[in-house]
Amino acid sequence: MIEIGAKGIRFGFDARTGLLDGFTVEDEGHEIAPLHRAPWVGTGEVMPPGTPPHLATLGGDFFCAPFAGSEVGSPLHGWTANSPWNVVEQGGSWLRARLLRTVYGAIVSKELEVEDGHPFVYQRHVFTGGSGRIAISNHANVSLPRGGLISCSPKLAWETPPAPPEADPARGRSGLRYPERSTMPDRFPGTDGWVDLTRFPWNPRHEDVVTGIEAREHSLGWTAVTRPVEGDLFLSLRNARRLPMTVLWHSNGGRDYPPWSGRHFGCLGVEESAAAVLLSHSSEDDLSGPGALTLVQDGETEVRHAIGAIRWPSEERVKDVRIVDHAIEVCGDRGGFRHLAFRKHFLD
């Protein structure tokens, strides 16, 4: 594991699968480590034959391309999350790595960086060359063993994919209906009445995926997860016109086969995506940006994303997140407020 850090922030990089692990922020006298780690990670447990490599190290934050099973023969969450990376340059607070295989003919580079006093990891993925359109996602896994409150930038609607994650009841179960759609996240059709997607957990044992489609009126996309018991907040920031979808993966004891074996609880995947392949009721025309990344044969295309964590003892939901000068302002629904250092033009 390669350790990267700056004043008040650190993380590790696992080159086996490109995993950002051990993300920790020191804020207001507290250490905040908001990301999940599956119960089998680090135990030496042997994975069943055919298990995608990223499941052996499941947790943290990783980049998916091709995402959502959009390429025949690609492992779950794509080659970028299941192939080794070579670290080509690094300093104390940054690294640059290259995937040891191409994706759609493109060379893929990863840049991760932190800065003194900034509670964010700045992530940039660059595709050089290649051709075609590719579904992509930044996949953070938030640890919610004691529950959480989920807030997002405005959405046009929420919808489930054409089929549930586990269609065979002998393997697992879901609590949402598939495919379904709602404009109210606190009233989504479930298998047993309405479900409030703004809370976690809402079911004792389930595995579900639901996608929020960004509204067109703004460019800053954000997801904020309040952890009331821990007194902190996870933040995910993106350009909503490049990543127009937020996919939430609710993993809470809903899969019964190895390595899950009914023991994987309290994980919320926050997956900031361009992946129209997941849509069931809407079309790509409904998105605030493209539903896939278009590769340029003789040029570069890139994806930017930032994740952060702060102390948030008020236990409030987040009402708004905005960029002001060289800062991010986080506003709670009962008056909570934080002013955070941020690279103003990073998401441009």
Side-chain angles (χ1 to χ4, degrees):
M1 187 78 72
I2 298 170
E3 300 295 330
I4 299 294
K7 185 178 180 180
I9 187 169
R10 66 182 186 272
F11 67 89
F13 179 69
D14 188 339
R16 293 175 297 174
T17 56
L19 177 70
L20 188 162
D21 196 21
F23 170 52
T24 304
V25 173
E26 298 172 19
D27 186 35
E28 296 184 343
H30 293 263
E31 282 206 344
I32 303 161
L35 297 185
H36 176 77
R37 181 174 290 174
W40 55 83
V41 174
T43 66
E45 181 174 335
V46 177
M47 294 291 100
T51 301
H54 83 276
L55 279 185
T57 58
L58 180 64
D61 177 288
F62 49 87
F63 182 68
C64 306
F67 180 53
S70 54
E71 181 189 33
V72 175
S74 171
L76 180 65
H77 293 322
W79 300 111
T80 55
N82 290 283
S83 303
W85 294 72
N86 178 43
V87 176
V88 294
E89 294 179 287
Q90 73 177 93
S93 61
W94 61 274
L95 68 78
R96 182 172 180 267
R98 181 173 295 165
L99 188 69
L100 293 179
R101 63 159 295 148
T102 59
V103 177
Y104 279 39
I107 296 170
V108 187
S109 299
K110 179 191 296 281
E111 299 174 7
L112 304 174
E113 189 169 359
V114 291
E115 186 171 334
D116 289 349
H118 290 222
F120 297 98
V121 179
Y122 299 98
Q123 305 189 49
R124 181 172 178 255
H125 290 88
V126 181
F127 292 76
T128 304
S131 62
R133 300 183 80 230
I134 182 171
I136 56 170
S137 183
N138 294 280
H139 194 309
N141 299 284
V142 183
S143 177
L144 296 176
R146 301 174 185 86
L149 305 174
I150 305 162
S151 307
C152 296
S153 49
K155 299 291 186 285
L156 172 69
W158 292 85
E159 63 183 64
T160 44
E166 298 297 341
D168 183 353
R171 291 170 61 83
R173 69 212 63 80
S174 294
L176 299 179
R177 294 183 185 174
Y178 294 77
E180 271 291 357
R181 188 177 193 270
S182 176
T183 58
M184 298 181 292
D186 57 348
R187 280 182 67 82
F188 197 92
T191 56
D192 187 24
W194 300 108
V195 168
D196 183 355
L197 298 177
T198 71
R199 293 182 173 273
F200 186 104
W202 45 264
N203 186 301
R205 282 187 175 270
H206 71 115
E207 195 82 15
D208 281 287
V209 173
V210 61
T211 297
I213 300 168
E214 201 75 13
R216 295 180 180 274
E217 293 75 24
H218 58 99
S219 60
L220 176 63
W222 55 268
T223 306
V225 184
T226 303
R227 303 198 305 170
V229 175
E230 291 85 354
D232 57 36
L233 181 71
F234 168 82
L235 285 167
S236 172
L237 305 177
R238 72 195 194 286
N239 185 324
R241 293 174 184 164
R242 292 176 178 261
L243 295 170
M245 304 163 64
T246 294
V247 181
L248 297 180
W249 169 46
H250 298 250
S251 187
N252 198 51
R255 283 179 164 139
D256 298 327
Y257 56 93
W260 312 91
S261 303
R263 56 179 167 158
H264 190 254
F265 288 91
C267 177
L268 177 71
V270 176
E271 307 170 35
E272 311 290 19
S273 312
V277 66
L278 283 175
L279 298 175
S280 57
H281 287 72
S282 304
S283 70
E284 188 165 347
D285 291 338
D286 296 312
L287 301 178
S288 62
L293 183 72
T294 300
L295 302 180
V296 181
Q297 193 163 10
D298 298 318
E300 292 185 347
T301 52
E302 66 173 42
V303 185
R304 296 187 178 207
H305 179 229
I307 60 170
I310 58 171
R311 183 76 175 148
W312 192 250
S314 68
E315 305 179 5
E316 298 174 51
R317 294 182 184 275
V318 171
K319 180 175 65 176
D320 191 25
V321 176
R322 53 185 180 244
I323 297 178
V324 179
D325 295 326
H326 295 277
I328 288 286
E329 292 185 344
V330 182
C331 306
D333 63 0
R334 300 197 308 271
F337 179 81
R338 292 295 305 273
H339 185 85
L340 312 169
F342 187 75
R343 294 180 180 176
K344 180 178 181 179
H345 298 292
F346 176 74
L347 295 176
D348 297 343

